[in-house]
Amino acid sequence: MNATITATAHYVPEKILTNHDLEKIIDTSDEWIQSRTGITQRHIVGKNEATSDLCTQIAKQLLEKRGLSSDEIQIIIICTCTPDYFAPSTAALVQNNIGASKAWGFDLSGACTGFLYGLETGAKFIESGQYQRVMVIGVDSMSTIMDYTDRNICVLFGDGGGGAILESTITEMGIIDSILRIDGSGADYLIMPGGGSRQPATVKSIKSRQHYLKQDGKTVYKFAVKGMADVSKDILTRNNLTGDDISLFIPHQANKRIIDATAARCGLSEDKVLINIGKYGNTTAGTIPLALSEAVDDGRLNNGNILLLAAFGAGFTWGSMLIKWNTHP
Ligand code: ACO
Protein backbone atom coordinates (compact mmCIF):
# COMPACT_ATOMS: atom_id res chain seq x y z
CA MET A 1 0.00 0.00 0.00
CA ASN A 2 1.41 3.41 -1.02
CA ALA A 3 0.26 6.93 -0.16
CA THR A 4 -0.28 9.19 -3.15
CA ILE A 5 -1.20 12.85 -3.54
CA THR A 6 -4.65 13.21 -5.11
CA ALA A 7 -5.18 16.97 -4.81
CA THR A 8 -3.10 20.08 -4.17
CA ALA A 9 -4.03 23.67 -3.34
CA HIS A 10 -2.36 26.86 -2.17
CA TYR A 11 -3.28 30.22 -0.72
CA VAL A 12 -1.49 33.44 0.20
CA PRO A 13 -2.96 36.48 1.94
CA GLU A 14 -3.92 39.42 -0.26
CA LYS A 15 -1.66 42.03 1.29
CA ILE A 16 1.73 42.41 -0.46
CA LEU A 17 4.92 43.81 1.05
CA THR A 18 7.44 44.67 -1.68
CA ASN A 19 11.16 45.31 -1.36
CA HIS A 20 10.38 48.97 -2.06
CA ASP A 21 7.95 48.99 0.89
CA LEU A 22 10.75 47.62 3.09
CA GLU A 23 13.13 50.33 1.83
CA LYS A 24 10.84 52.81 3.56
CA ILE A 25 11.06 51.13 7.00
CA ILE A 26 14.59 49.71 7.23
CA ASP A 27 18.02 50.46 5.78
CA THR A 28 17.89 48.13 2.79
CA SER A 29 17.44 48.22 -0.97
CA ASP A 30 15.56 46.28 -3.60
CA GLU A 31 18.90 45.62 -5.29
CA TRP A 32 20.46 44.13 -2.11
CA ILE A 33 17.47 41.88 -1.39
CA GLN A 34 17.13 40.65 -4.96
CA SER A 35 20.82 39.98 -5.47
CA ARG A 36 21.26 38.22 -2.09
CA THR A 37 18.00 36.24 -2.02
CA GLY A 38 16.00 36.42 -5.29
CA ILE A 39 13.01 37.90 -3.42
CA THR A 40 11.07 40.87 -4.84
CA GLN A 41 7.92 40.75 -2.69
CA ARG A 42 6.12 38.68 -0.09
CA HIS A 43 2.47 38.35 0.99
CA ILE A 44 1.62 39.06 4.62
CA VAL A 45 -1.47 38.50 6.73
CA GLY A 46 -3.84 41.37 7.45
CA LYS A 47 -4.86 42.55 10.92
CA ASN A 48 -7.51 39.93 11.60
CA GLU A 49 -5.95 37.09 9.65
CA ALA A 50 -4.05 34.14 11.14
CA THR A 51 -2.59 30.80 10.12
CA SER A 52 -5.85 28.87 10.55
CA ASP A 53 -7.58 31.26 8.12
CA LEU A 54 -5.03 30.54 5.41
CA CYS A 55 -5.24 26.79 6.17
CA THR A 56 -9.02 26.87 5.94
CA GLN A 57 -8.89 28.43 2.48
CA ILE A 58 -6.52 25.67 1.39
CA ALA A 59 -8.61 22.91 3.02
CA LYS A 60 -11.77 24.09 1.26
CA GLN A 61 -10.00 24.15 -2.11
CA LEU A 62 -8.60 20.67 -1.52
CA LEU A 63 -12.07 19.26 -0.81
CA GLU A 64 -13.52 20.95 -3.87
CA LYS A 65 -10.72 19.90 -6.20
CA ARG A 66 -10.91 16.27 -5.09
CA GLY A 67 -14.72 16.27 -4.92
CA LEU A 68 -14.77 15.12 -1.30
CA SER A 69 -17.07 16.09 1.53
CA SER A 70 -15.36 17.20 4.74
CA ASP A 71 -16.72 14.09 6.50
CA GLU A 72 -14.48 11.95 4.32
CA ILE A 73 -11.27 13.43 5.77
CA GLN A 74 -9.96 11.23 8.57
CA ILE A 75 -6.86 13.11 9.75
CA ILE A 76 -5.87 16.78 9.49
CA ILE A 77 -2.16 17.52 9.90
CA ILE A 78 -1.21 21.19 10.02
CA CYS A 79 2.51 21.79 9.59
CA THR A 80 3.35 25.18 11.06
CA CYS A 81 5.59 26.97 13.53
CA THR A 82 3.23 29.96 13.69
CA PRO A 83 -0.01 28.42 15.02
CA ASP A 84 -2.90 30.69 16.03
CA TYR A 85 -2.46 29.52 19.64
CA PHE A 86 -0.37 27.08 21.71
CA ALA A 87 -3.71 25.46 22.53
CA PRO A 88 -6.01 24.58 20.90
CA SER A 89 -4.19 23.31 17.85
CA THR A 90 -4.59 24.93 14.44
CA ALA A 91 -5.84 21.53 13.24
CA ALA A 92 -8.80 21.82 15.63
CA LEU A 93 -9.69 25.26 14.26
CA VAL A 94 -9.47 24.04 10.66
CA GLN A 95 -11.56 20.95 11.49
CA ASN A 96 -14.29 23.18 12.85
CA ASN A 97 -14.10 25.65 9.97
CA ILE A 98 -14.58 22.96 7.34
CA GLY A 99 -16.91 20.76 9.44
CA ALA A 100 -14.81 17.61 9.21
CA SER A 101 -16.95 15.74 11.72
CA LYS A 102 -15.14 12.40 11.51
CA ALA A 103 -11.57 13.69 11.63
CA TRP A 104 -8.89 13.92 14.27
CA GLY A 105 -5.71 15.89 13.83
CA PHE A 106 -2.75 17.73 15.21
CA ASP A 107 -0.18 20.44 14.53
CA LEU A 108 3.31 19.41 13.54
CA SER A 109 6.29 21.66 14.18
CA GLY A 110 9.15 20.99 11.78
CA ALA A 111 9.89 24.58 10.68
CA CYS A 112 10.84 24.72 6.99
CA THR A 113 10.94 20.90 6.79
CA GLY A 114 7.46 20.72 8.33
CA PHE A 115 5.60 19.77 5.17
CA LEU A 116 7.97 16.87 4.43
CA TYR A 117 7.56 15.66 8.03
CA GLY A 118 3.79 15.99 7.53
CA LEU A 119 3.72 14.07 4.26
CA GLU A 120 5.82 11.31 5.81
CA THR A 121 3.55 11.12 8.85
CA GLY A 122 0.37 11.12 6.77
CA ALA A 123 1.80 8.49 4.44
CA LYS A 124 2.56 6.16 7.35
CA PHE A 125 -1.04 6.39 8.61
CA ILE A 126 -2.21 5.41 5.13
CA GLU A 127 0.35 2.65 4.67
CA SER A 128 -0.86 1.14 7.96
CA GLY A 129 -4.12 0.38 6.18
CA GLN A 130 -6.18 2.04 8.92
CA TYR A 131 -6.70 5.38 7.14
CA GLN A 132 -7.58 6.22 3.55
CA ARG A 133 -7.69 10.03 3.38
CA VAL A 134 -5.36 12.44 5.18
CA MET A 135 -5.18 16.20 4.68
CA VAL A 136 -1.69 17.66 5.09
CA ILE A 137 -1.35 21.45 5.07
CA GLY A 138 1.81 23.54 5.43
CA VAL A 139 1.28 27.20 6.27
CA ASP A 140 3.21 29.84 8.15
CA SER A 141 2.42 33.43 9.01
CA MET A 142 6.03 34.45 9.46
CA SER A 143 5.24 38.18 9.48
CA THR A 144 3.71 37.66 12.94
CA ILE A 145 7.13 36.74 14.39
CA MET A 146 9.24 39.11 12.26
CA ASP A 147 11.15 42.01 13.74
CA TYR A 148 10.65 44.71 11.11
CA THR A 149 13.57 46.65 12.63
CA ASP A 150 16.02 43.78 11.96
CA ARG A 151 17.10 43.95 8.32
CA ASN A 152 19.14 40.76 8.66
CA ILE A 153 15.98 38.67 8.74
CA CYS A 154 12.75 40.55 8.03
CA VAL A 155 13.39 40.80 4.29
CA LEU A 156 13.49 37.02 3.91
CA PHE A 157 10.08 35.84 5.04
CA GLY A 158 6.46 35.92 3.87
CA ASP A 159 3.13 34.29 4.74
CA GLY A 160 1.14 31.57 2.97
CA GLY A 161 1.33 27.94 2.02
CA GLY A 162 -0.43 25.00 0.50
CA GLY A 163 -1.62 21.50 1.11
CA ALA A 164 -2.33 18.07 -0.27
CA ILE A 165 -4.74 15.22 0.15
CA LEU A 166 -3.06 11.87 0.64
CA GLU A 167 -4.93 8.72 -0.33
CA SER A 168 -4.04 5.06 -0.58
CA THR A 169 -3.08 3.34 -3.81
CA ILE A 170 -2.12 -0.23 -4.61
CA THR A 171 0.04 0.94 -7.53
CA GLU A 172 3.75 1.78 -7.25
CA MET A 173 2.88 5.50 -7.61
CA GLY A 174 2.98 8.10 -4.85
CA ILE A 175 5.57 8.69 -2.13
CA ILE A 176 8.37 6.23 -2.82
CA ASP A 177 11.09 7.25 -0.39
CA SER A 178 12.15 9.87 2.11
CA ILE A 179 15.15 10.82 4.23
CA LEU A 180 14.38 13.02 7.22
CA ARG A 181 16.78 14.45 9.77
CA ILE A 182 16.88 16.61 12.91
CA ASP A 183 19.87 18.01 14.82
CA GLY A 184 19.20 20.26 17.79
CA SER A 185 22.84 21.32 18.08
CA GLY A 186 21.82 23.92 15.48
CA ALA A 187 18.95 25.26 17.61
CA ASP A 188 20.53 28.58 18.54
CA TYR A 189 21.29 29.58 14.95
CA LEU A 190 17.62 30.10 14.06
CA ILE A 191 15.38 30.60 17.04
CA MET A 192 12.52 32.58 18.54
CA PRO A 193 13.74 32.71 22.14
CA GLY A 194 10.65 34.14 23.87
CA GLY A 195 7.06 33.07 24.36
CA GLY A 196 7.58 29.39 25.14
CA SER A 197 8.06 27.63 28.49
CA ARG A 198 11.78 28.57 28.55
CA GLN A 199 11.04 32.28 28.49
CA PRO A 200 7.35 33.08 28.94
CA ALA A 201 6.19 36.56 27.95
CA THR A 202 7.10 39.28 30.42
CA VAL A 203 7.36 43.01 29.97
CA LYS A 204 11.15 42.59 29.95
CA SER A 205 11.14 39.82 27.33
CA ILE A 206 8.87 41.82 25.06
CA LYS A 207 10.91 45.00 25.46
CA SER A 208 14.08 43.07 24.57
CA ARG A 209 12.37 41.70 21.43
CA GLN A 210 12.64 38.04 22.43
CA HIS A 211 9.37 37.19 20.65
CA TYR A 212 10.82 37.57 17.20
CA LEU A 213 12.72 35.04 15.09
CA LYS A 214 16.48 35.53 15.18
CA GLN A 215 19.16 33.96 13.03
CA ASP A 216 22.82 33.68 12.24
CA GLY A 217 22.28 33.95 8.49
CA LYS A 218 25.74 32.85 7.36
CA THR A 219 25.72 29.68 9.47
CA VAL A 220 22.19 28.78 8.40
CA TYR A 221 23.17 29.32 4.77
CA LYS A 222 26.16 26.99 5.06
CA PHE A 223 24.22 24.19 6.77
CA ALA A 224 21.23 24.59 4.44
CA VAL A 225 23.22 24.04 1.26
CA LYS A 226 25.09 21.04 2.68
CA GLY A 227 22.01 19.53 4.35
CA MET A 228 19.70 19.78 1.35
CA ALA A 229 22.37 18.63 -1.11
CA ASP A 230 23.43 15.65 1.04
CA VAL A 231 19.94 14.21 1.52
CA SER A 232 19.02 14.91 -2.10
CA LYS A 233 22.09 13.09 -3.40
CA ASP A 234 21.59 10.24 -0.90
CA ILE A 235 17.98 9.64 -1.87
CA LEU A 236 18.89 9.57 -5.57
CA THR A 237 21.76 7.14 -4.96
CA ARG A 238 19.77 4.70 -2.85
CA ASN A 239 17.02 4.62 -5.51
CA ASN A 240 19.54 4.16 -8.36
CA LEU A 241 18.58 7.52 -9.88
CA THR A 242 20.55 10.49 -11.17
CA GLY A 243 19.56 14.10 -11.75
CA ASP A 244 18.59 13.09 -15.31
CA ASP A 245 15.76 10.89 -13.95
CA ILE A 246 14.17 13.78 -12.05
CA SER A 247 11.41 15.65 -13.87
CA LEU A 248 11.03 18.39 -11.30
CA PHE A 249 12.93 19.45 -8.18
CA ILE A 250 10.93 21.47 -5.67
CA PRO A 251 13.29 22.76 -2.98
CA HIS A 252 12.34 24.74 0.09
CA GLN A 253 12.39 28.40 -0.98
CA ALA A 254 14.70 30.15 1.50
CA ASN A 255 17.10 31.88 -0.82
CA LYS A 256 17.68 31.53 -4.57
CA ARG A 257 21.41 31.16 -4.01
CA ILE A 258 20.82 28.20 -1.63
CA ILE A 259 18.57 26.59 -4.25
CA ASP A 260 21.06 27.12 -7.10
CA ALA A 261 23.94 25.70 -5.04
CA THR A 262 21.87 22.66 -4.00
CA ALA A 263 20.70 21.95 -7.55
CA ALA A 264 24.25 22.24 -8.91
CA ARG A 265 25.56 19.77 -6.30
CA CYS A 266 22.85 17.27 -7.31
CA GLY A 267 23.48 17.61 -11.05
CA LEU A 268 20.06 19.11 -11.72
CA SER A 269 19.75 21.48 -14.66
CA GLU A 270 18.04 24.84 -14.13
CA ASP A 271 14.93 23.96 -16.15
CA LYS A 272 14.10 21.18 -13.67
CA VAL A 273 14.14 23.41 -10.60
CA LEU A 274 11.02 25.21 -9.45
CA ILE A 275 11.78 28.64 -8.04
CA ASN A 276 8.96 30.95 -6.96
CA ILE A 277 10.70 32.70 -4.06
CA GLY A 278 10.61 35.99 -5.97
CA LYS A 279 6.85 36.33 -5.44
CA TYR A 280 6.47 34.91 -1.94
CA GLY A 281 9.73 34.97 0.05
CA ASN A 282 10.29 32.19 2.55
CA THR A 283 6.94 30.95 3.87
CA THR A 284 8.67 28.25 6.00
CA ALA A 285 6.42 25.12 6.06
CA GLY A 286 4.43 26.74 3.28
CA THR A 287 7.05 26.89 0.54
CA ILE A 288 6.98 23.30 -0.75
CA PRO A 289 3.19 22.79 -0.84
CA LEU A 290 2.75 26.25 -2.36
CA ALA A 291 5.28 25.49 -5.10
CA LEU A 292 3.89 21.98 -5.63
CA SER A 293 0.36 23.31 -6.09
CA GLU A 294 1.58 25.93 -8.55
CA ALA A 295 3.49 23.25 -10.48
CA VAL A 296 0.33 21.14 -10.73
CA ASP A 297 -1.78 24.13 -11.82
CA ASP A 298 0.84 25.02 -14.46
CA GLY A 299 0.81 21.46 -15.85
CA ARG A 300 4.45 20.86 -14.96
CA LEU A 301 3.82 17.33 -13.64
CA ASN A 302 2.76 14.38 -15.79
CA ASN A 303 1.86 10.83 -14.92
CA GLY A 304 4.93 8.82 -13.91
CA ASN A 305 7.20 11.86 -13.45
CA ILE A 306 9.70 11.55 -10.62
CA LEU A 307 9.51 14.55 -8.32
CA LEU A 308 12.25 15.40 -5.81
CA LEU A 309 11.47 17.55 -2.77
CA ALA A 310 14.08 18.87 -0.33
CA ALA A 311 13.99 21.20 2.66
CA PHE A 312 16.10 22.66 5.46
CA GLY A 313 15.06 24.73 8.43
CA ALA A 314 15.18 25.65 12.10
CA GLY A 315 16.12 22.89 14.49
CA PHE A 316 18.05 22.14 12.40
CA THR A 317 15.61 19.98 10.46
CA TRP A 318 16.10 18.79 6.91
CA GLY A 319 15.03 16.12 4.49
CA SER A 320 14.29 14.91 0.99
CA MET A 321 11.45 12.95 -0.58
CA LEU A 322 10.83 11.19 -3.89
CA ILE A 323 7.34 11.03 -5.36
CA LYS A 324 6.25 9.14 -8.46
CA TRP A 325 3.56 11.48 -9.66
CA ASN A 326 0.15 10.30 -10.72
CA THR A 327 -2.30 12.79 -12.11
CA HIS A 328 -5.89 12.84 -10.93
CA PRO A 329 -8.85 14.29 -12.78
N1 ACO B 1 19.74 45.08 3.37
C1 ACO B 1 20.94 45.64 3.21
N2 ACO B 1 22.05 45.18 3.83
C2 ACO B 1 21.92 44.12 4.63
C3 ACO B 1 20.68 43.48 4.84
C4 ACO B 1 19.56 44.01 4.17
N3 ACO B 1 18.34 43.47 4.31
N4 ACO B 1 20.86 42.45 5.67
C5 ACO B 1 22.15 42.43 5.98
N5 ACO B 1 22.78 43.43 5.36
C6 ACO B 1 24.19 43.79 5.41
C7 ACO B 1 24.90 43.19 6.60
O1 ACO B 1 24.69 43.98 7.75
C8 ACO B 1 26.33 43.18 6.14
O2 ACO B 1 26.85 44.45 6.35
P1 ACO B 1 28.33 44.64 6.94
O3 ACO B 1 29.23 43.93 5.97
O4 ACO B 1 28.49 46.12 6.96
O5 ACO B 1 28.29 43.99 8.29
C9 ACO B 1 26.22 42.98 4.64
O6 ACO B 1 24.86 43.27 4.28
C10 ACO B 1 26.54 41.59 4.17
O7 ACO B 1 25.84 40.70 4.95
P2 ACO B 1 26.08 39.17 4.81
O8 ACO B 1 25.51 38.50 6.00
O9 ACO B 1 27.50 38.88 4.42
O10 ACO B 1 25.19 38.83 3.53
P3 ACO B 1 25.04 37.44 2.89
O11 ACO B 1 25.52 37.49 1.52
O12 ACO B 1 25.55 36.36 3.78
O13 ACO B 1 23.46 37.28 2.83
C11 ACO B 1 21.56 36.33 3.96
C12 ACO B 1 22.70 37.34 4.03
C13 ACO B 1 20.68 36.65 2.77
C14 ACO B 1 20.76 36.42 5.25
C15 ACO B 1 22.17 34.92 3.81
O14 ACO B 1 23.15 34.69 4.76
C16 ACO B 1 21.13 33.85 3.89
O15 ACO B 1 20.25 33.73 3.07
N6 ACO B 1 21.23 32.97 4.89
C17 ACO B 1 20.27 31.90 5.07
C18 ACO B 1 19.28 32.36 6.04
C19 ACO B 1 17.90 31.82 5.76
O16 ACO B 1 17.50 31.53 4.67
N7 ACO B 1 17.14 31.74 6.81
C20 ACO B 1 15.79 31.36 6.65
C21 ACO B 1 15.36 30.27 7.49
S1 ACO B 1 16.29 28.83 7.27
C22 ACO B 1 15.85 28.27 5.86
O17 ACO B 1 14.76 28.46 5.46
C23 ACO B 1 16.87 27.47 5.11
Side-chain angles (χ1 to χ4, degrees):
M1 184 97 69
N2 262 356
T4 190
I5 292 174
T6 58
T8 53
H10 63 276
Y11 184 79
V12 291
E14 268 176 39
K15 194 170 167 190
I16 290 175
L17 185 68
T18 66
N19 292 350
H20 294 297
D21 294 329
L22 286 168
E23 282 173 347
K24 292 176 196 145
I25 53 175
I26 44 165
D27 180 16
T28 191
S29 68
D30 177 49
E31 193 282 325
W32 192 97
I33 301 171
Q34 284 209 41
S35 63
R36 294 302 215 287
T37 69
I39 300 167
T40 57
Q41 63 169 48
R42 66 288 293 140
H43 291 247
I44 59 167
V45 289
K47 252 201 172 74
N48 295 312
E49 212 171 12
T51 296
S52 70
D53 301 317
L54 313 188
C55 293
T56 300
Q57 296 283 346
I58 293 162
K60 285 180 177 169
Q61 284 184 53
L62 286 172
L63 293 174
E64 196 183 322
K65 284 186 171 180
R66 185 58 185 147
L68 293 173
S69 82
S70 56
D71 288 348
E72 291 174 279
I73 298 299
Q74 296 164 303
I75 306 178
I76 300 169
I77 303 175
I78 304 292
C79 314
T80 189
C81 61
T82 49
D84 292 29
Y85 313 108
F86 277 172
S89 70
T90 316
L93 306 175
V94 174
Q95 176 282 327
N96 185 48
N97 290 345
I98 63 171
S101 61
K102 297 193 176 118
W104 65 281
F106 53 92
D107 289 4
L108 190 159
S109 169
C112 301
T113 318
F115 191 69
L116 295 192
Y117 281 15
L119 283 182
E120 175 78 351
T121 307
K124 294 305 164 206
F125 281 117
I126 284 172
E127 287 165 20
S128 76
Q130 201 179 337
Y131 296 94
Q132 289 74 46
R133 274 170 302 278
V134 178
M135 187 180 266
V136 185
I137 295 177
V139 164
D140 269 299
S141 303
M142 297 305 289
S143 66
T144 63
I145 56 167
M146 261 322 109
D147 183 348
Y148 285 101
T149 65
D150 181 359
R151 69 177 185 173
N152 287 303
I153 191 162
C154 73
V155 302
L156 304 175
F157 289 92
D159 303 342
I165 289 182
L166 285 176
E167 293 184 68
S168 56
T169 174
I170 48 165
T171 70
E172 88 291 9
M173 308 290 256
I175 296 173
I176 50 182
D177 199 9
S178 66
I179 298 176
L180 298 170
R181 298 277 184 264
I182 192 163
D183 179 0
S185 67
D188 288 343
Y189 297 117
L190 186 54
I191 189 167
M192 187 174 107
S197 56
R198 175 75 53 196
Q199 203 180 149
T202 59
V203 171
K204 192 174 161 217
S205 74
I206 290 168
K207 277 192 176 154
S208 60
R209 312 185 86 76
Q210 298 301 299
H211 302 267
Y212 294 119
L213 192 66
K214 299 176 191 306
Q215 73 164 354
D216 172 346
K218 274 196 195 312
T219 305
V220 174
Y221 186 98
K222 213 173 58 195
F223 278 95
V225 173
K226 180 169 168 20
M228 289 214 292
D230 283 354
V231 288
S232 299
K233 281 191 291 191
D234 288 352
I235 206 168
L236 292 179
T237 306
R238 83 178 186 191
N239 287 275
N240 298 316
L241 300 170
T242 69
D244 292 342
D245 300 303
I246 300 302
S247 303
L248 189 63
F249 174 45
I250 302 186
H252 167 53
Q253 312 279 314
N255 180 318
K256 186 174 180 303
R257 290 185 299 153
I258 294 178
I259 295 172
D260 291 342
T262 306
R265 288 190 191 192
C266 299
L268 288 155
S269 55
E270 240 175 66
D271 56 312
K272 291 185 172 181
V273 184
L274 197 154
I275 301 180
N276 66 2
I277 191 172
K279 292 184 284 183
Y280 305 118
N282 181 350
T283 57
T284 304
T287 66
I288 289 181
L290 170 50
L292 175 62
S293 173
E294 284 197 334
V296 172
D297 290 354
D298 294 344
R300 287 190 73 173
L301 283 165
N302 297 310
N303 225 28
N305 281 176
I306 306 280
L307 170 65
L308 173 65
L309 310 177
F312 186 92
F316 293 131
T317 59
W318 68 106
S320 61
M321 183 172 273
L322 281 174
I323 297 177
K324 192 164 189 185
W325 192 256
N326 57 331
T327 42
H328 288 84

